[in-house]
Amino acid sequence: MQPPVLFIPGCSGFIGSHLLERILATTGYRVVGMDRSCDKIRHLLANDRLEFVRSDVYSCQTIGTFVKSCDIVISLAALCNPSLYNTIPITVIDNNFTQPRDLVRSCAEQGKRLIHFSTCEVYGRTLSGYLGGKGEEPFREDESPYLLGPIGAQRWTYACAKQLLERLIYAYGREQGLHYTIVRPFNFIGPRMDYIPGIDGDGVPRVVACFMEALLFNRPLRLVDGGRSRRVFTYIDDAVDAVMAMIERPDRADRQVFNIGNPANELTIAELARRMAALYAELAPAGAARTAGIVSISAEEFYGPGYEDSDRRIPDVSKARERLGWIPKTAIDDALRATILAFIHDYASAPCPARAANG
Ligand code: UGA
């Protein structure tokens, strides 16, 4: 039997680069990967089981042809940076709902299996946190309600677009027999995540990259509204284990939504800042780890108007454990250590970039 062919739009992002590495190293699958750039997968391009197509996924007029030629589509392309949700919300909705609709439709029409990356942001805020409590309820894929803020809080454009796409995928499953699996990532971290503003990207990346920029270039780490929000941080290798199980066990993954996150790795953002500063002091080349300290900044000043935060996101991962046999293994300090070392390796000799406009 021929090994399956995977079509991976968005293959050269952080998650895609790690998934591709694993697929090429441990399976005989062929992969057609599509992305605007190949910066994060350059080391894989010589592999003859990878065909790389340089194209913007959602302006590609022939996306249906790629879907037709594969067995499974793994959809990773998205605009998932919180600093954009309230600053370019139309583009955020287009990229995360309007444009990916065609890919979903194409999978349904052509009877192809779709593994779609959504987000833990669909849950929004916790109900108890919203009412002034501690936000202790874990999120369950098939039970939890979704609590987003008002329309003026444009932070939620992304969560709302991603939620609507999930509902569309579900509807295609019910009405037209689409075979799908939906992944809800909970703050994956690891080598090659995001970028450093002014070096290989612009604007404000996610928190770990923001803190790395501060540590590498001796600037203060900034805590939005004091850093009281909580996140669980999930190591990328654990996340890839889960996706491999989804690919290999369609009988267990079909028409299911999975939280993929490590509930044991929860920190407040203030704790994350302190933990990263301490680890950086251990890992940085001698003399490099001077620290400019940790400061607080208002959300309005950091992200502009319309930003609102998720207070806490604890995943219930019992479904992934029971259906896929998946258990996240990497403890927070090991995950941070590997991530910090990779940033040091990639950027320590880069010239000091100018700080972003909001800095
Ligand atoms: C983001 C995306 O919106 C999700 O789609 C995605 O699933 C998630 O990341 C993820 O990585 O899985 P969020 O966790 O809010 O969600 O992203 P970050 O930008 O990393 O922010 C985390 C927290 O750190 C927020 O409370 C933010 O206000 C805070 N932050 C960020 C700081 O305190 N300082 C900074 O310099 C940057």
Side-chain angles (χ1 to χ4, degrees):
M1 206 170 77
Q2 286 287 325
V5 178
L6 311 183
F7 173 44
I8 310 188
C11 68
S12 184
F14 161 53
I15 300 174
S17 73
H18 286 270
L19 183 61
L20 260 185
E21 239 171 33
R22 179 79 67 85
I23 289 169
L24 295 174
T26 64
T27 75
Y29 306 162
R30 285 204 309 110
V31 179
V32 179
M34 180 179 283
D35 216 315
R36 273 177 304 201
S37 106
C38 58
D39 288 352
K40 297 192 186 205
I41 57 164
R42 245 176 239 295
H43 58 298
L44 303 171
L45 292 179
N47 191 303
D48 59 10
R49 284 186 290 116
L50 171 64
E51 181 192 334
F52 176 69
V53 181
R54 187 186 298 271
S55 170
D56 184 312
V57 171
Y58 294 129
S59 61
C60 174
Q61 300 296 313
T62 52
I63 200 98
T65 317
F66 290 100
V67 172
K68 193 172 183 180
S69 66
C70 76
D71 301 295
I72 305 173
V73 176
I74 304 181
S75 152
L76 280 163
L79 218 162
C80 55
N81 178 335
S83 68
L84 306 177
Y85 307 164
N86 60 316
T87 50
I88 51 164
I90 297 173
T91 309
V92 168
I93 293 170
D94 279 347
N95 264 257
N96 291 299
F97 175 70
T98 319
Q99 293 160 347
R101 269 188 322 185
D102 290 342
L103 185 65
V104 175
R105 192 183 303 122
S106 183
C107 289
E109 282 168 4
Q110 304 194 51
K112 304 296 176 163
R113 194 175 158 216
L114 171 66
I115 298 179
H116 172 75
F117 273 73
S118 184
T119 173
C120 58
E121 290 233 349
V122 294
Y123 294 110
R125 298 181 289 191
T126 60
L127 183 57
S128 62
Y130 183 61
L131 298 173
K134 285 191 177 158
E136 275 163 326
E137 59 274 19
F139 293 139
R140 297 196 175 84
E141 298 93 334
D142 304 318
E143 290 160 38
S144 296
Y146 305 139
L147 185 63
L148 309 184
I151 297 298
Q154 289 191 299
R155 157 61 183 254
W156 304 110
T157 49
Y158 171 75
C160 190
K162 292 292 256 189
Q163 188 198 128
L164 188 55
L165 195 67
E166 283 198 22
R167 292 187 186 279
L168 187 77
I169 291 170
Y170 182 87
Y172 269 110
R174 301 278 299 195
E175 287 184 33
Q176 297 187 14
L178 174 68
H179 291 287
Y180 66 85
T181 304
I182 291 173
V183 187
R184 291 186 183 154
F186 283 69
N187 293 71
F188 296 172
I189 63 171
R192 297 194 291 273
M193 71 176 297
D194 287 359
Y195 58 90
I196 296 288
I199 296 183
D200 51 355
D202 295 315
V204 183
R206 280 170 296 181
V207 65
V208 169
C210 287
F211 288 173
M212 280 314 306
E213 183 242 10
L215 292 167
L216 287 163
F217 300 104
N218 300 315
R219 291 162 172 174
L221 283 73
R222 291 173 293 178
L223 301 178
V224 173
D225 289 339
R228 59 180 181 265
S229 297
R230 293 167 174 273
R231 296 290 188 271
V232 302
F233 295 95
T234 308
Y235 194 55
I236 187 67
D237 287 357
D238 289 337
V240 169
D241 288 346
V243 184
M244 295 307 292
M246 291 170 200
I247 297 171
E248 283 155 11
R249 300 295 310 271
D251 55 322
R252 307 296 294 160
D254 192 34
R255 299 202 179 114
Q256 298 295 330
V257 182
F258 290 103
N259 288 338
I260 298 301
N262 190 338
N265 283 358
E266 192 189 28
L267 295 174
T268 65
I269 300 305
E271 287 164 345
L272 174 73
R274 290 193 289 273
R275 195 79 73 100
M276 285 183 65
L279 288 169
Y280 183 71
E282 249 176 52
L283 300 169
R290 297 183 302 279
T291 167
I294 298 175
V295 298
S296 188
I297 183 168
S298 73
E300 173 105 10
E301 209 183 326
F302 193 77
Y303 288 112
Y307 177 82
E308 212 176 73
D309 211 351
S310 297
D311 53 324
R312 193 173 188 185
R313 305 197 286 230
I314 310 172
D316 180 322
V317 290
S318 49
K319 183 151 75 144
R321 186 178 62 239
E322 282 153 23
R323 298 191 77 95
L324 305 172
W326 180 76
I327 297 173
K329 302 182 194 82
T330 313
I332 185 71
D333 278 359
D334 294 334
L336 287 175
R337 213 174 261 119
T339 307
I340 292 170
L341 278 172
F343 270 95
I344 293 172
H345 174 270
D346 294 346
Y347 297 100
S349 57
C352 182
R355 189 150 232 190
N358 72 355

